[in-house]
Amino acid sequence: MRELLPVEPRPVRHRVSRSSRRDLYAVLAAVLLVTVAVLVGRHIQDTRHTLFVHWPPVFADWDPHLGPGTPAALAVAAATVAYGPALAARLPWRGLLVASWATALAWIFSLAWIDGWQRGIAGRLTTANEYLRVIDRFHDIPATLRDFTHHIVDGTPRPWPAHIAGHPPAATLTFVLLDRIGLRGGGWAGMWVIVVGATGCAAVLVALRALTGEELARRAAPFLVLAPAAVWQGVSADGYFAAVAAWSLALFALALTRRSLWCGAAAGLLFGLTCYLSYGLTLFALIGAAVLVLGRAGVRERPALLLAVLAGLAVFPAVFALAGFDWWEGYHLLVTRYYQGVGGTRPYGYWVWANLACTALITGPATAAGLRRTTAVLLRGRGPRSPRPGPGRIRLAFLVSAALLALLIADLSGMSKAETERIWLPFALWLLPACALLSRPRAWLAAQAVLALLLNHLLFTGW
């Protein structure tokens, strides 16, 4: 009869405890990385003045303050921590997508509103280097596109401000077209970025459900909503870029899993737009390749899916080429412009690792622990007592690892020295799903919320 008794669960408790300790070690490593980046960065900036940031590694100023958005941000954070995991598990799928978008919208808006309407939202895209400063130069859009590359490099007649020169023209054209349809000024531009940018979390959820299963997507939902990255999503145009890139991958995942030619064409179309919003987001092709590997059965059953994707992908390059804009010429001129400015002075030896500290800040302590678990999943439990992770977890870990690889390549390129807490928002969205692997989600969500609130109340994150 003794052989029939259940095995005592003590080893399982030991394994859970050991896993939790390792999660904390990962968080402590991230904290140490950020601390060293702050201390070393302050020393370099104070002695050599070569970082060109006031509060390294983040492009921000020390500015403890409260604002009109403080009560709203606290309320959104408390409600999401308290009810987010349970609602994510119980809501109908479409209801979850809508609720995630609405809550992310409230979170991003309330954090931005801490700095006030003008300073935090309406004035963000009207500063010297931002897109709305050149709206009047696009009165003849075809002529401006033909002439666009002639104003990228410093020393040319009327060189573009930094953000316009640093991106293909679709980024600026977005705000030109908003102006043309009557949504003029920084307020409308800021709200466009917030509203569209908030849909990025829903796009990632759609992709996760298609590729890894609904359970993991539901577990990831509160972390995608309550990310510290929201501090920079409101109001940075990179939040808008992140959403477009995310929907291109989400539609690609749907195309492969549903064998849908229309989704494939739409995915290609949005990826083409992504490449004309930001040169660096061509690296999303790596994450797209991971999606293709995970959904390869769909291509085997319906090879025409790839043709649909390629057809959609060709649209924006063809339109801009016919309009006279050469993407490759623009990129090479941007490299020249980059090294003409502070990018040529900022030390690569500092930023190549301090950029990762910025990533730790925008993704939060939960993601540090989640990435630790991602590594454990990919190792597939090589210990004698370690169970093999389920296929959904392996697929999730593979997808997150592809996003991390794309981010690391961007880092090593040297074309993103500083301001990566904003520039890398599109990659950060795809690191956050690693949090679905964590236990005790409410505690981790609370840590994410506290970090975001501290960042937004202690710093003014201008760019």
Side-chain angles (χ1 to χ4, degrees):
M1 294 294 294
R2 185 171 295 176
E3 289 81 357
L4 299 178
L5 293 175
V7 178
E8 61 183 30
R10 197 171 297 168
V12 175
R13 288 200 300 269
H14 174 71
R15 190 188 304 117
V16 171
S17 176
R18 182 172 60 186
S19 181
S20 297
R21 284 199 303 272
R22 289 176 177 174
D23 291 342
L24 292 177
Y25 295 154
V27 173
L28 288 175
V31 171
L32 179 61
L33 175 64
V34 173
T35 303
V36 172
V38 171
L39 295 177
V40 173
R42 291 297 296 269
H43 174 73
I44 294 174
Q45 180 62 14
D46 291 343
T47 57
R48 302 179 191 173
H49 311 289
T50 56
L51 298 187
F52 299 96
V53 293
H54 297 155
W55 205 86
V58 179
F59 193 87
D61 292 294
W62 180 256
D63 182 24
H65 62 286
L66 299 174
T70 297
L74 290 171
V76 173
T80 305
V81 170
Y83 304 108
L87 287 174
R90 296 173 186 170
L91 284 174
W93 177 250
R94 292 184 180 179
L96 175 61
L97 293 180
V98 173
S100 297
W101 168 73
T103 310
L105 174 61
W107 179 235
I108 297 168
F109 179 84
S110 61
L111 287 173
W113 199 24
I114 290 170
D115 297 320
W117 170 256
Q118 183 61 35
R119 189 187 189 206
I121 298 172
R124 288 286 192 172
L125 295 168
T126 63
T127 56
N129 288 317
E130 284 290 358
Y131 303 97
L132 268 63
R133 295 299 290 266
V134 299
I135 294 293
D136 59 338
R137 292 176 61 178
F138 279 76
H139 60 276
D140 185 341
I141 291 176
T144 306
L145 290 177
R146 287 193 300 272
D147 199 42
F148 191 88
T149 56
H150 298 155
H151 304 282
I152 292 178
V153 177
D154 270 341
T156 55
R158 300 182 70 194
W160 296 118
H163 288 185
I164 290 82
H167 294 82
T172 309
L173 275 177
T174 299
F175 300 101
V176 171
L177 294 176
L178 284 176
D179 183 83
R180 291 285 178 89
I181 64 174
L183 304 181
R184 299 183 177 90
W188 283 111
M191 288 308 300
W192 165 267
V193 168
I194 291 175
V195 173
V196 176
T199 68
C201 69
V204 177
L205 290 178
V206 169
L208 290 177
R209 186 191 190 216
L211 298 171
T212 69
E214 189 169 319
E215 180 185 356
L216 285 171
R218 288 179 177 275
R219 289 178 61 85
F223 293 98
L224 285 161
V225 166
L226 208 62
V231 173
W232 289 272
Q233 285 177 287
V235 180
S236 161
D238 296 88
Y240 156 55
F241 305 160
V244 176
W247 279 111
S248 73
L249 292 183
L251 289 167
F252 190 33
L254 289 178
L256 295 174
T257 54
R258 296 184 179 180
R259 286 51 163 173
S260 169
L261 296 177
W262 288 108
C263 286
L269 184 70
L270 286 185
F271 182 65
L273 175 59
T274 298
C275 294
Y276 280 80
L277 291 171
S278 173
Y279 294 105
L281 293 188
T282 54
L283 286 171
F284 257 68
L286 288 173
I287 313 176
V291 173
L292 179 60
V293 170
L294 295 176
R296 59 191 179 277
V299 176
R300 284 198 298 265
E301 292 183 16
R302 198 172 188 185
L305 286 171
L306 290 183
L307 294 177
V309 173
L310 292 174
L313 179 59
V315 172
F316 278 103
V319 168
F320 279 98
L322 291 172
F325 172 75
D326 186 327
W327 191 96
W328 284 106
E329 180 187 8
Y331 174 72
H332 289 302
L333 291 171
L334 166 63
V335 174
T336 301
R337 169 71 177 264
Y338 183 77
Y339 286 100
Q340 285 178 325
V342 296
T345 305
R346 284 171 170 161
Y348 180 85
Y350 171 76
W351 288 110
V352 73
W353 59 271
N355 283 338
L356 302 180
C358 294
T359 304
L361 285 173
I362 66 176
T363 57
T367 305
L371 289 175
R372 200 282 306 171
R373 295 208 176 197
T374 297
T375 303
V377 167
L378 290 177
L379 293 176
R380 298 190 177 185
R382 293 181 179 179
R385 291 188 175 183
S386 299
R388 182 181 176 86
R393 291 182 169 235
I394 294 173
R395 294 163 75 86
L396 174 65
F398 180 71
L399 185 63
V400 169
S401 298
L404 182 59
L405 175 61
L407 183 147
L408 292 175
I409 293 173
D411 188 30
L412 293 173
S413 74
M415 287 295 290
S416 298
K417 296 195 288 285
E419 302 184 57
T420 51
E421 67 274 8
R422 167 183 61 82
I423 298 168
W424 288 354
L425 285 174
F427 302 110
L429 281 184
W430 295 89
L431 298 181
L432 294 168
C435 300
L437 302 174
L438 297 172
S439 54
R440 300 181 180 178
R442 285 191 178 87
W444 289 112
L445 279 170
Q448 298 285 87
V450 168
L451 175 60
L453 291 167
L454 286 174
L455 286 170
N456 217 133
H457 283 93
L458 295 178
L459 302 174
F460 177 65
T461 54
W463 42 81

